[in-house]
């Protein structure tokens, strides 16, 4: 008995997978299809296809995966299977409804993929009057967006993303308020990627002077920022530009904290020491400068401007008195 391995599909749907059926007698490809779907060949197969379905084309191949040859539905099935191959694929004509459904499904897949790869940014409440710190925070959000980065979901952006933005803003603001140039002066170099966010804090606008760094306060900011370099969202490809630089920034801060702590320990040790840093003779020495017999008009005018500057100067503003110092005090 001759056999044929048959498959029936309609569009992208497989209605009848590869299944071997017997060829009972001489017949055409079309007649074989009619008998097959009417269960006259293999009654045990429940093929959900009616004989009214229109055959778009028929393909025959030597193996299920080899190149198929299109054949006419009027050809003799026995002759074809003997000469070409026993793998027979009926491709049925798709109706308009199915074509629309396929198109709709394709559009749905595209929308799902677009949603899948859509990145989200954290949102913050906005006020009409934005202060410098709020502007810094908003600029950091725009900065992340400009690098094509974001968080995979809106929820993630408004939780982990928002927490990261706030932590980074607070750290940068604290360093800037206490003068980030002090780090540079001591060879603790902030990564260039972050430099655009410094030199924005101006304590004088708050009627304050720049306070010295506090190792404990800076350490709190560092500890708040450090965990973000290992979170799953920053390990994504779209944050490759930030991950290592952020890690470098945290290391710089950490090293500066060690410097501040070491400096604080030395100061505490000196204060606790019973041995004075300066000898009694050094502490009680009085240096007598050249006797001032007469104030010249030039000096009088010169120091008058200094006197007026000190009178009018706000308490937190520094003043440079180097030009008023004597070049040779002796």
């Amino acid at each position: 008995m001759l056999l044929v391995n048959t498959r029936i599909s309609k569009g992208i749907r497989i209605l009848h997978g590869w299944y071997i059926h017997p060829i009972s007698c001489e017949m055409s490809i079309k007649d074989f299809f009619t008998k097959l779907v009417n269960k006259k060949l293999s009654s045990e197969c429940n093929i959900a296809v009616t004989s009214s379905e229109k055959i778009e084309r028929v393909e025959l191949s030597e193996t299920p995966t080899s190149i198929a040859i299109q054949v006419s539905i009027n050809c003799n099935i026995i002759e074809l299977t003997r000469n070409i191959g026993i793998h027979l694929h009926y491709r049925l004509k798709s109706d308009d409804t199915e074509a629309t459904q396929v198109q709709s499904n394709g559009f749905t897949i595209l929308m799902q993929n677009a949603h899948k790869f859509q990145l989200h940014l954290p949102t913050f409440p906005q006020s009409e009057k934005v202060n410098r710190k709020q502007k810094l925070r908003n600029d950091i959000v725009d900065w992340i967006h400009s690098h094509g980065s974001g968080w995979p979901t809106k929820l993630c952006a408004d939780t982990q993303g928002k927490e990261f933005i706030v932590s980074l803003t607070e750290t940068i603001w604290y360093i800037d308020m206490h003068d980030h140039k002090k780090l540079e002066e001591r060879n603790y170099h902030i990564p260039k990627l972050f430099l655009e966010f410094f030199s924005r804090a101006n304590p004088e606008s708050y009627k304050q002077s720049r306070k010295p760094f506090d190792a404990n306060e800076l350490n709190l900011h560092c500890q708040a920022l450090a965990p973000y370099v290992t979170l799953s969202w920053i390990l994504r490809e779209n944050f490759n530009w930030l991950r290592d630089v952020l890690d470098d920034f945290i290391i710089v801060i950490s090293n500066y904290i060690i410097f501040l702590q070491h400096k604080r320990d030395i100061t505490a040790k000196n204060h606790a020491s019973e041995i004075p840093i300066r000898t009694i003779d050094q502490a009680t020495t009085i240096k007598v400068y050249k006797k001032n017999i007469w104030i010249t008009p030039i000096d009088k005018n010169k120091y008058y401007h200094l006197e007026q500057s000190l009178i009018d100067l706000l308490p937190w503003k520094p003043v440079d008195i180097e030009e008023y110092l004597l070049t040779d005090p002796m």
Side-chain angles (χ1 to χ4, degrees), residues 144-166:
I144 290 174
H145 178 66
S146 68
H147 282 83
S149 298
W151 284 262
T153 65
K154 184 62 178 172
L155 178 62
C156 184
D158 285 334
T159 52
Q160 296 182 21
K162 183 175 287 188
E163 290 170 0
F164 169 70
I165 297 295
V166 170

Side-chain angles (χ1 to χ4, degrees), residues 305-319:
H305 290 296
L306 174 61
E307 182 181 0
Q308 294 303 311
S309 297
L310 293 173
I311 292 172
D312 299 333
L313 192 69
L314 295 173
W316 58 85
K317 277 201 171 185
V319 61

Side-chain angles (χ1 to χ4, degrees), residues 1 21-25 27 31-47 49 51:
M1 180 181 290
H21 298 279
I23 303 176
S24 57
C25 60
M27 67 183 84
D31 292 338
F32 181 83
F33 174 78
T34 303
K35 289 186 178 183
L36 179 64
V37 297
N38 290 331
K39 300 181 181 180
K40 292 182 179 180
L41 296 176
S42 302
S43 58
E44 74 279 3
C45 286
N46 186 19
I47 304 174
V49 180
S51 57

Side-chain angles (χ1 to χ4, degrees), residues 170-284:
E170 292 292 338
T171 302
I172 291 175
W173 187 258
Y174 177 83
I175 294 173
D176 205 20
M177 283 288 286
H178 294 76
D179 195 359
H180 74 283
K181 293 179 181 177
K182 290 181 180 178
L183 279 76
E184 299 292 330
E185 291 169 0
R186 294 178 172 89
N187 291 323
Y188 297 97
H189 302 292
I190 296 170
K192 292 182 179 179
L193 191 65
F194 292 101
L195 289 180
E196 65 177 282
F197 300 117
F198 289 93
S199 299
R200 299 186 179 203
N202 183 12
E204 292 183 6
S205 63
Y206 302 97
K207 297 184 178 180
Q208 297 177 7
S209 60
R210 289 191 187 273
K211 298 178 181 178
F213 280 99
D214 183 278
N216 292 331
E217 290 180 1
L218 186 58
N219 189 42
L220 290 175
H221 288 291
C222 186
Q223 288 180 356
L225 196 60
Y228 291 103
V229 295
T230 58
L231 293 184
S232 58
W233 59 262
I234 205 170
L235 299 178
R236 291 173 175 266
E237 186 177 354
N238 63 306
F239 276 106
N240 283 348
W241 62 276
L242 176 62
R243 185 169 53 253
D244 292 339
V245 183
L246 178 64
D247 191 40
D248 292 340
F249 184 40
I250 293 169
I251 291 172
V252 168
I253 298 172
S254 179
N255 289 338
Y256 191 65
I257 291 169
I258 294 172
F259 164 78
L260 292 174
Q261 290 172 338
H262 180 65
K263 185 179 177 183
R264 183 183 61 188
D265 292 342
I266 292 175
T267 303
K269 182 180 178 181
N270 291 336
H271 287 172
S273 176
E274 295 181 358
I275 302 173
I277 299 173
R278 299 177 65 193
T279 64
I280 296 176
D281 291 339
Q282 290 174 332
T284 56

